[in-house]
Amino acid sequence: MRQVDQVLAVVAERRAEFEEKRHVPPDVVAEFKRAGIYRAGVPRRFGGDALPPAEFLRFIERMSAVDASAGWVASFGSSAVYLAALPLETQALLYADGPDVVFAGGLFPVRPAERVDGGYRVSGRWRFASGCTGADALGVGIKAGDNEAGRPLTAVLRPEHVEIDENWDAIGLRGTGSHDLVVHGVVVPEEWTFVRGGRPTVDEPLYRYPTVPYAGQVLAVVGLGVARAALDHVMDQGARSTYTGAPKPADRATYRIAVGQAEAQLRSARAFFYESTEDAWSTVVAGDPTTPEQASLLRLASAHLAKTSLDVVRAAYHLGGIAAIAGGSPLERHLRDASVVPQHAFLQEGMYDGAGAVLLGVQPFPGYL
């Protein structure tokens, strides 16, 4: 990716604006495009970069340390891996003007769609379409006919065919613009639908990497960036004078112990996360399919990272003392943002159940693998 320092500087300067407006404005999304964020998951055959997952994840980690909402929105630069399941002819049309295409989706709840000649008539309301206000293409989850008993489809629509109900109001990640999408009877051609996580039509290494686990990874790493920022903040504050005249934080054993424990927690979870990523990537680069065990470790590492990141932010918040409770303080915002990440369906504690099942050689719950 290009102009990394420049785009991070823009995010740092305008992060308060994201929270106030409840979305990342289009001109900032345009900066993301220029930095190559949205071509990161696009096939090389269509002019994209198809970056190795670890490279993209480390960038999202850095951005999230500056602003979690920006990192969350930028993380969907990976969503082109889903679109690789579209027919090649459709992808050629999608990227006809270049690979810097922003895709956002409100995939749930999956809605029934009427089968019509050549496609599906789509109507309904879908939740949590993060980044939708800056999207060039929007996806919604549907089921119809023979697909009702199988995996749901994603229908891809142009923004002019979708109404955005700007109703996102949450305690954290306020700037993600995760609004509802509303569609009224739009016919979507069959060639503009795909199964999320379905077999890709592009044969490049990135599209052999486990798709659904990757979708969880790009979100979990947002929490990692927030935790890093929170912990760095309390370390920077260690030499501050206190309101009461008590010893400076860094002079207290309890403060030093808590910082050391949090650092060890965060680095351990981060190491597991990237170790699992590199292991799976090495397999696909070698031309081999990843194993269910590798895919499961990606999911486990992501859920564990999201949980650990929140634990670290909580510890940092407590270390911040009375100053942390002020509205708009760095730790107040880090706590709010970090608390949202593990609430995502891909990152909840149920992932430990699925991973435990795989480790024990029993069948995990449906949809885990």
Side-chain angles (χ1 to χ4, degrees):
M1 286 186 288
R2 310 173 301 278
Q3 303 172 330
V4 170
D5 291 339
Q6 179 179 327
V7 76
L8 293 180
V10 170
V11 169
E13 180 182 355
R14 298 182 61 180
R15 56 193 170 193
E17 180 185 347
F18 307 158
E19 178 133 331
E20 178 186 357
K21 292 182 174 179
R22 294 183 296 132
H23 67 263
V24 176
D27 67 306
V28 178
V29 173
E31 292 282 352
F32 289 3
K33 285 184 177 182
R34 282 190 284 274
I37 291 170
Y38 292 107
R39 64 174 58 196
V42 175
R44 294 182 183 276
R45 68 178 294 162
F46 297 116
D49 293 338
L51 291 181
E55 183 176 343
F56 184 71
L57 291 166
R58 288 189 175 95
F59 172 76
I60 298 302
E61 178 186 352
R62 286 186 64 191
M63 180 176 281
S64 300
V66 179
D67 180 68
S69 290
W72 191 271
V73 170
S75 78
F76 292 98
S78 67
S79 62
V81 299
Y82 288 148
L83 298 171
L86 287 166
L88 290 175
E89 296 80 5
T90 303
Q91 293 183 64
L93 291 173
L94 182 66
Y95 303 122
D97 294 327
D100 301 301
V101 173
V102 182
F103 177 70
L107 304 182
F108 296 100
V110 175
R111 301 293 188 186
E114 178 190 358
R115 200 71 157 93
V116 297
D117 287 346
Y120 303 93
R121 189 180 306 278
V122 176
S123 296
R125 175 183 288 267
W126 291 264
R127 304 291 310 280
F128 309 125
S130 300
C132 60
T133 56
D136 302 306
L138 294 161
V140 297
I142 63 171
K143 58 182 178 180
D146 294 339
N147 293 305
E148 289 184 10
R151 301 168 73 180
L153 293 170
T154 298
V156 180
L157 301 98
R158 294 192 296 272
E160 59 265 30
H161 293 155
V162 181
E163 174 189 338
I164 297 175
D165 182 2
E166 296 191 14
N167 59 353
W168 176 242
D169 185 11
I171 64 167
L173 297 179
R174 290 178 178 172
T176 60
S178 303
H179 305 303
D180 286 6
L181 303 181
V182 182
V183 181
H184 301 286
V186 176
V187 174
V188 178
E190 185 165 7
E191 61 270 23
W192 285 90
T193 66
F194 64 91
V195 174
R196 189 176 66 158
R199 184 181 298 277
T201 56
V202 177
D203 185 20
E204 296 179 20
L206 181 58
Y207 313 101
R208 298 195 294 268
Y209 189 86
T211 305
V212 174
Y214 190 30
Q217 287 188 284
V218 299
L219 304 179
V221 82
V222 173
L224 172 60
V226 176
R228 183 71 267 162
L231 196 51
D232 286 349
H233 178 80
V234 296
M235 287 192 286
D236 289 342
Q237 293 294 303
R240 75 179 188 275
S241 298
T242 64
Y243 292 114
T244 63
K248 294 177 181 179
D251 292 334
R252 304 174 205 164
T254 53
Y255 197 92
R256 297 193 299 267
I257 290 169
V259 167
Q261 288 175 332
E263 186 73 22
Q265 281 182 284
L266 192 62
R267 285 179 179 265
S268 297
R270 184 181 189 273
F272 175 34
F273 180 79
Y274 283 114
E275 174 190 290
S276 303
T277 303
E278 297 288 9
D279 179 65
W281 181 245
S282 295
T283 296
V284 300
V285 168
D288 299 320
T290 55
T291 65
E293 290 76 15
Q294 286 176 309
S296 180
L297 284 177
L298 293 175
R299 302 205 74 168
L300 175 60
S302 296
H304 186 63
L305 183 64
K307 178 182 181 299
T308 301
S309 296
L310 177 55
D311 290 343
V312 167
V313 173
R314 283 183 181 138
Y317 177 80
H318 290 305
L319 289 172
I322 194 67
I325 72 171
S329 75
L331 289 174
E332 179 263 350
R333 184 164 178 178
H334 293 328
L335 182 62
R336 289 191 289 103
D337 288 337
S339 69
V340 176
V341 177
Q343 297 295 98
H344 193 280
F346 284 171
L347 302 173
Q348 292 178 8
E349 288 199 348
M351 296 303 109
Y352 287 99
D353 174 37
V358 173
L359 289 167
L360 293 168
V362 299
Q363 187 68 31
F365 60 82
Y368 177 71
L369 292 176

